[in-house]
Amino acid sequence: MHALQDIHRFMAGYRAAWQQRDPAMFAALFHPDGRYHNTPFQVQAGSAQLAEYWKRVQLQEDVQVAYEVLASAEASGIAHWHVTYRVASEELFRIWARSTGTSLPARRPGDPLPRMVLDGVLQATFRDGLCTEARIWWHSLPQPA
C-alpha cells in the first residue's frame, strides 16, 4: 500500500518531476493505468505513455513551477499552477506554436529563444496512493521581454 496521496503531495511531486525534467518521476505519480489529459482532447494512459509524453519537458531549461491547491478532498483535488521555462530548442518552439494554434512570434535569425509562461488548472483523482486521472486546462505565451 502506498502512502496516502492527496492533491498536496501530488502537486509537490508534479513540480519536482517538471523542474527536474524527469519522465520516470512523473509516471511514478500515477496508478499503472493512470490517465493524464494534457488537453481536453488528448490523453496519455499507462506508465509507458505517461513517461513518453513527459520527455518533452527535457526540451525546457530553467523550469520554475509554482502552484496553489484550490480544493482538497480525500480522493481528489484541484490546483492552480504557473510555470516558466526557457525554450531549449527551435523544435520545441515550433511544437508550442502548433499546439496553441498560433503563429511563431517575429524573430530574426540568431535571436535567442524565448522564455515561456504557462498558466493552468489541474484536477486529479487518487486511489491506492496514486493518481488515477489528472486533467489540465492551460494556456501559454512567450514571456514579454
Side-chain angles (χ1 to χ4, degrees), residues 1-144:
M1 181 75 146
H2 294 88
L4 179 64
Q5 176 78 295
D6 64 10
I7 190 67
H8 296 275
R9 289 181 187 202
F10 180 83
M11 290 306 298
Y14 190 72
R15 175 177 54 197
W18 204 335
Q19 288 184 170
Q20 295 176 39
R21 304 177 311 162
D22 188 327
M25 185 183 290
F26 174 72
L29 295 170
F30 290 83
H31 207 271
D33 61 353
R35 297 166 56 90
Y36 182 72
H37 300 259
N38 65 301
T39 75
F41 309 109
Q42 294 180 325
V43 63
Q44 293 76 44
S47 299
Q49 283 186 13
L50 292 165
E52 184 63 30
Y53 169 77
W54 205 248
K55 286 180 181 177
R56 69 182 52 202
V57 303
Q58 294 172 334
L59 297 173
Q60 303 169 358
E61 294 179 347
D62 188 25
V63 179
Q64 300 296 318
V65 179
Y67 67 88
E68 176 187 7
V69 171
L70 302 176
S72 179
E74 185 176 324
S76 64
I78 299 170
H80 167 246
W81 53 267
H82 185 85
V83 176
T84 62
Y85 64 84
R86 188 168 47 80
V87 175
S89 75
E90 291 286 347
E91 174 192 8
L92 178 63
F93 198 50
R94 286 191 299 273
I95 289 169
W96 167 80
R98 281 195 308 271
S99 72
T100 60
T102 61
S103 58
L104 291 170
R107 291 175 49 237
R108 294 185 299 271
D111 278 357
L113 288 164
R115 186 160 185 84
M116 299 298 295
V117 179
L118 286 70
D119 197 77
V121 173
L122 178 144
Q123 175 190 32
T125 56
F126 308 100
R127 182 180 81 238
D128 300 330
L130 295 171
C131 183
T132 54
E133 191 143 32
R135 296 174 182 272
I136 61 172
W137 296 269
W138 58 279
H139 193 68
S140 63
L141 64 126
Q143 189 171 47

